[in-house]
């Protein structure tokens, strides 16, 4: 698709200073947008203001370049009206998916009639990664969400080995493997219940995780590519942020079936950039809609341009809105 007009794009993300440009998907998308002539602004979620019916953001124009340690240049801050001054808002800050995150989705939802927000903020709010996936339980390993120790003990007895993880965690943080003996299970449940007010997720352990946890990226409901993330020595977590390594991969028939089942609903909900996680070629564990990653590795292995695909999908969405 040919880009006809440069866009003004506000990117709601984490601080530019802290991103790792070698693997950061948001930076990858910004580079692709800048290459098309788009004007980029950067702001943090706390920079949002609602005033007199308008949603504003104190944002700084930014230019990006793929130079480690010198990857961005800011201009002077401006107060942007996100409904009138920009064409697209990219909501790309990392979780935790907490009340601050949810509040930002409510504010951005108020500009949706005027400005395209990617991903759709109401859909992001209503599709937490470890809860939205329950709509596709037929593809999931045995799963339980609870705060009840006796339920967890029963689940462990049934499945032999389990994984316990926070319901709103990210990047592999606080993911525990519990073996058949159940050693320290009671203490672990106590820790989770003391640390989080919400229940936690328990799943049957899938030995196939040793061969990798595949991240599959879908752009507007269509498969853009995949990367296999292999756990480091002594780990069950394959997240690249905790030492996993990336490997080239292809999709199994089961994974294609999963993508075909999810694709139309993702598109309908305005979830334009989504990353799903599949273990052992068949077990769907998460649907990541907040700030999915993986496209840098996918493009490096496959010679693709997923950032460009995302901008093509944005162009198509904007054209459809203009024609409506």
């Amino acid at each position: 698709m040919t880009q006809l007009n440069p866009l003004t794009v506000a990117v709601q993300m984490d601080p530019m200073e802290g991103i790792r440009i070698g693997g950061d998907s948001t930076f990858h998308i910004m580079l692709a947008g800048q290459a098309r002539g788009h004007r980029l602004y950067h702001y943090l979620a706390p920079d949002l203001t609602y005033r007199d019916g308008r949603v504003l953001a104190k944002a700084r124009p930014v230019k990006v370049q793929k130079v480690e340690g010198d990857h961005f240049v800011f201009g002077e801050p401006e107060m942007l009206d996100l409904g009138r001054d920009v064409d697209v808002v990219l909501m790309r800050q990392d979780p935790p998916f907490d009340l601050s995150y949810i509040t930002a989705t409510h504010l951005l939802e108020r500009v949706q009639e005027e400005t395209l927000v990617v991903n759709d903020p109401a859909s992001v709010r209503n599709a937490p990664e470890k809860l939205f996936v329950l709509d596709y339980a037929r593809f999931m390993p045995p799963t339980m969400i609870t705060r009840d120790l006796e339920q967890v003990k029963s689940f462990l007895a049934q499945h032999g080995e389990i994984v316990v993880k926070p319901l709103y965690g990210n990047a592999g943080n606080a993911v525990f493997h519990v073996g058949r003996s159940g050693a320290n299970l009671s203490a672990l449940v106590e820790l989770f219940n003391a640390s989080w007010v919400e229940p936690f997720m328990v799943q049957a352990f899938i030995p196939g995780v040793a061969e990798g946890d595949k991240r599959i990226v879908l752009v507007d409901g269509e498969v853009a590519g995949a990367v296999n993330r292999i756990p480091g020595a002594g780990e069950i977590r394959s997240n690249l942020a905790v030492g996993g390594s990336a490997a080239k991969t292809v999709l199994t028939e089961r994974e294609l079936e999963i993508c075909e089942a999810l694709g139309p609903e993702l598109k309908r909900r305005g979830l334009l950039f989504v990353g799903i996680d599949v273990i052992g070629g068949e077990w769907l564990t998460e649907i990541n809609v907040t700030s999915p990653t993986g496209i840098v590795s996918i493009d490096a292995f496959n010679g693709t341009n997923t950032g460009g695909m995302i901008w093509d999908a944005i162009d198509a969405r904007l054209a459809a809105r203009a024609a409506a």
Side-chain angles (χ1 to χ4, degrees):
M1 185 177 297
T2 301
Q3 168 62 37
L4 299 178
N5 298 303
L7 303 174
T8 300
V9 181
V11 187
Q12 177 176 301
M13 59 181 290
D14 298 316
M16 289 295 298
E17 295 83 355
I19 64 173
R20 300 177 180 177
I21 68 170
D24 189 273
S25 291
T26 305
F27 187 77
H28 199 58
I29 295 167
M30 292 170 76
L31 283 171
Q34 184 175 271
R36 295 184 176 211
H38 300 334
R39 186 180 188 195
L40 306 177
Y41 285 85
H42 172 277
Y43 72 94
L44 307 177
D47 294 323
L48 288 170
T49 295
Y50 173 87
R51 180 175 179 178
D52 299 329
R54 307 304 302 174
V55 178
L56 314 173
K58 187 176 182 180
R60 290 180 286 185
V62 61
K63 295 186 181 298
V64 291
Q65 56 186 5
K66 203 169 183 179
V67 179
E68 193 72 49
D70 186 24
H71 57 279
F72 70 97
V73 177
F74 277 141
E76 291 299 314
E78 301 177 29
M79 189 61 75
L80 297 179
D81 182 319
L82 294 182
R84 294 172 177 161
D85 298 335
V86 303
D87 302 297
V88 180
V89 173
L90 297 182
M91 185 171 62
R92 288 287 305 171
Q93 82 269 23
D94 288 340
F97 190 77
D98 53 15
L99 284 174
S100 174
Y101 210 112
I102 290 169
T103 300
T105 68
H106 280 290
L107 291 175
L108 290 181
E109 190 178 2
R110 294 180 176 275
V111 308
Q112 276 283 69
E113 293 299 314
E114 300 172 280
T115 299
L116 178 66
V117 183
V118 177
N119 285 328
D120 180 282
S123 293
V124 168
R125 185 173 66 247
N126 293 328
E129 355 265 53
K130 296 182 182 68
L131 290 174
F132 180 30
V133 70
L134 301 179
D135 290 353
Y136 301 92
R138 65 190 183 275
F139 298 122
M140 297 178 67
T143 297
M144 179 171 63
I145 295 174
T146 189
R147 289 175 63 90
D148 190 308
L149 175 59
E150 295 307 314
Q151 288 289 329
V152 182
K153 287 181 176 178
S154 173
F155 195 82
L156 175 62
Q158 179 182 359
H159 296 290
E161 296 180 76
I162 59 174
V163 172
V164 182
K165 52 189 174 182
L167 203 55
Y168 298 110
N170 69 302
N173 293 322
V175 176
F176 292 87
H177 174 217
V178 179
R180 295 178 181 276
S181 70
N184 296 317
L185 179 59
S186 296
L188 181 61
V189 171
E190 289 173 7
L191 176 64
F192 269 66
N193 285 340
S195 301
W196 293 281
V197 296
E198 63 272 2
F200 49 87
M201 176 172 274
V202 187
Q203 292 184 313
F205 175 67
I206 306 300
V209 73
E211 279 74 55
D213 176 358
K214 198 172 294 184
R215 165 57 56 88
I216 305 170
V217 167
L218 296 98
V219 174
D220 214 15
E222 301 292 332
V223 174
V227 61
N228 197 27
R229 302 172 300 178
I230 301 170
E235 270 281 4
I236 65 161
R237 302 176 299 171
S238 57
N239 307 72
L240 302 184
V242 293
S245 58
K248 185 178 174 65
T249 191
V250 296
L251 300 190
T252 65
E253 289 187 11
R254 173 72 164 184
E255 289 164 343
L256 289 170
E257 180 187 358
I258 292 170
C259 293
E260 288 171 2
L262 269 63
E265 181 64 12
L266 299 178
K267 187 179 182 71
R268 186 189 71 80
R269 291 187 182 217
L271 295 170
L272 190 145
F273 177 18
V274 173
I276 67 171
D277 297 337
V278 181
I279 294 175
E282 59 177 322
W283 298 107
L284 176 67
T285 58
E286 293 188 16
I287 303 173
N288 298 275
V289 304
T290 49
S291 60
T293 62
I295 64 174
V296 178
S297 295
I298 289 170
D299 288 349
F301 285 124
N302 299 332
T304 48
N305 179 12
T306 307
M309 292 175 64
I310 291 168
W311 287 112
D312 285 346
I314 288 171
D315 289 343
R317 289 268 174 172
L318 290 172
R321 287 163 66 107

